[in-house]
């Protein structure tokens, strides 16, 4: 889109505003979670440059990512992790009393996402290892069927039952660029705004893209979501209108 600005501008604005908001409350973020589609067909150097930008802004706060359908797993692994490989990026780490799990339900070039063999087993084992800790699950693709016009990733009954019976406090998603809140298998499930634009379906079948970006601040305590504050920047800038074939 010719009128789109460099997403690092909006990313910088969001990180600075989020840190300032926390500072004003005498707090410091425990974790920055990035909901995927870090780059559009980026190469190794793109991911390395983005990582440097984010880590400088993060100032020591841990950063968790999941990958989206626009991400290259190979370039991400090379530029972000400094390793080779093309396999899905499933990751977990414990921060204080919170277990954070990033489950990769993206396939590069497939806008609908998918789970691949072995992921449910990995998630089951990871949840078991977390024990009674409050736990956050992040995926790129949203999973709630009624969420909106963008198709969710298909979830098996086995996956939904695993979520339902788990200690998960909330689920974080991206992909749609639209803020949303709902329940997935009885768990609070939040989709965050995108970092660049959002699309509106017009009556004539075209999609209008406008500049909009934002972030969410989520406060957890003893396994429950105490607060979710949404900051959305809607500049009103029209980026373009397109017809999908
Ligand atoms: Fe996406």
């Amino acid at each position: 889109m010719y009128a789109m600005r460099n997403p690092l501008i909006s990313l910088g604005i969001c990180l600075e505003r989020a840190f300032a908001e926390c500072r004003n409350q005498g707090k410091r973020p425990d974790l920055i979670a990035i909901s995927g589609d870090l780059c559009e067909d980026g190469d190794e150097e793109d991911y390395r440059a983005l990582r440097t930008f984010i880590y400088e802004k993060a100032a020591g706060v841990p950063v968790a990512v999941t990958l989206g359908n626009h991400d290259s797993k190979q370039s991400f692994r090379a530029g972000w992790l400094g390793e080779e490989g093309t396999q899905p990026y499933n990751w977990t780490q414990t921060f204080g009393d919170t277990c954070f799990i990033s489950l990769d339900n993206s396939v590069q070039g497939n806008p609908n996402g998918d789970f691949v063999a072995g992921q449910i087993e990995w998630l089951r084992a990871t949840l078991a290892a977390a024990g009674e800790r409050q736990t956050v699950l992040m995926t790129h693709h949203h999973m709630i069927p009624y969420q909106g016009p963008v198709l969710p990733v298909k979830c098996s009954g086995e996956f939904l039952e695993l979520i339902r019976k788990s200690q998960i406090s909330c689920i974080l998603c991206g992909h749609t660029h639209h803020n949303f809140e709902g329940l997935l298998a009885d768990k609070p499930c939040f989709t965050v705004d995108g970092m660049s634009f959002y699309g509106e379906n017009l009556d004539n079948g075209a999609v209008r893209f406008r500049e909009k970006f934002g972030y969410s601040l989520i406060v957890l305590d003893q396994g429950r979501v105490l607060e979710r504050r949404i900051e959305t920047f809607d500049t009103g800038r029209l980026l373009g209108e397109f017809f999908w074939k």
Side-chain angles (χ1 to χ4, degrees), residues 15 19 28-29 32 52-63:
L15 285 169
F19 271 81
R28 177 176 165 83
I32 297 169
T52 299
F53 179 88
I54 291 174
Y55 273 74
E56 282 182 5
K57 297 281 186 189
V61 174
V63 177

Side-chain angles (χ1 to χ4, degrees), residues 35-37 68-70 111 140-141 174-177:
S35 60
D37 284 345
N69 48 301
H70 293 289
H140 175 66
H141 289 274
H175 185 58
T176 69
H177 299 212

Side-chain angles (χ1 to χ4, degrees), residues 28-215:
R28 177 176 165 83
D30 295 309
L31 180 74
I32 297 169
I34 300 177
S35 60
D37 284 345
L38 283 69
C39 294
E40 171 98 37
D41 300 323
D43 60 20
E44 176 180 344
E45 184 51 39
D46 291 323
Y47 283 95
R48 188 175 294 118
L50 179 61
R51 187 184 191 281
T52 299
F53 179 88
I54 291 174
Y55 273 74
E56 282 182 5
K57 297 281 186 189
V61 174
V63 177
V65 303
T66 189
L67 299 185
N69 48 301
H70 293 289
D71 285 306
S72 159
K73 299 186 198 305
Q74 184 174 19
S75 298
F76 167 78
R77 287 189 175 276
W80 193 281
L81 303 177
E83 65 183 36
E84 295 181 350
T86 59
Q87 69 273 32
Y89 179 63
N90 301 316
W91 177 89
T92 184
Q93 190 161 325
T94 297
F95 302 92
D97 61 352
T98 304
C99 174
F100 194 94
I101 301 172
S102 180
L103 182 69
D104 189 350
N105 65 0
S106 73
V107 177
Q108 186 176 8
N110 176 357
N112 298 325
D114 203 359
F115 293 99
V116 301
Q119 281 188 299
I120 293 180
E121 291 74 14
W122 178 83
L123 179 61
R124 190 187 306 282
T126 303
L127 288 168
E132 296 301 311
R133 286 190 196 90
Q134 66 178 3
T135 298
V136 176
L137 174 67
M138 178 167 70
T139 70
H140 175 66
H141 289 274
H142 58 303
M143 297 174 281
I144 299 177
Y146 58 84
Q147 183 157 336
V150 181
L151 286 176
V153 71
K154 289 181 180 172
C155 299
S156 68
E158 182 185 10
F159 175 81
L160 294 174
E161 203 54 23
L162 177 61
I163 298 295
R164 192 184 320 278
K165 291 179 177 174
S166 75
Q167 74 279 28
I168 288 173
S169 301
C170 66
I171 302 167
L172 312 179
C173 301
H175 185 58
T176 69
H177 299 212
H178 289 264
N179 230 303
F180 188 83
E181 176 177 344
L183 290 174
L184 180 79
D186 302 331
K187 305 293 183 183
C189 187
F190 307 127
T191 298
V192 71
D193 283 314
M195 202 46 67
S196 48
F197 62 85
Y198 77 115
E200 298 170 304
N201 293 327
L202 304 181
D203 290 341
N204 64 1
V207 180
R208 172 186 291 156
F209 291 93
R210 290 172 53 193
E211 185 176 70
K212 190 182 86 166
F213 50 92
Y215 63 87

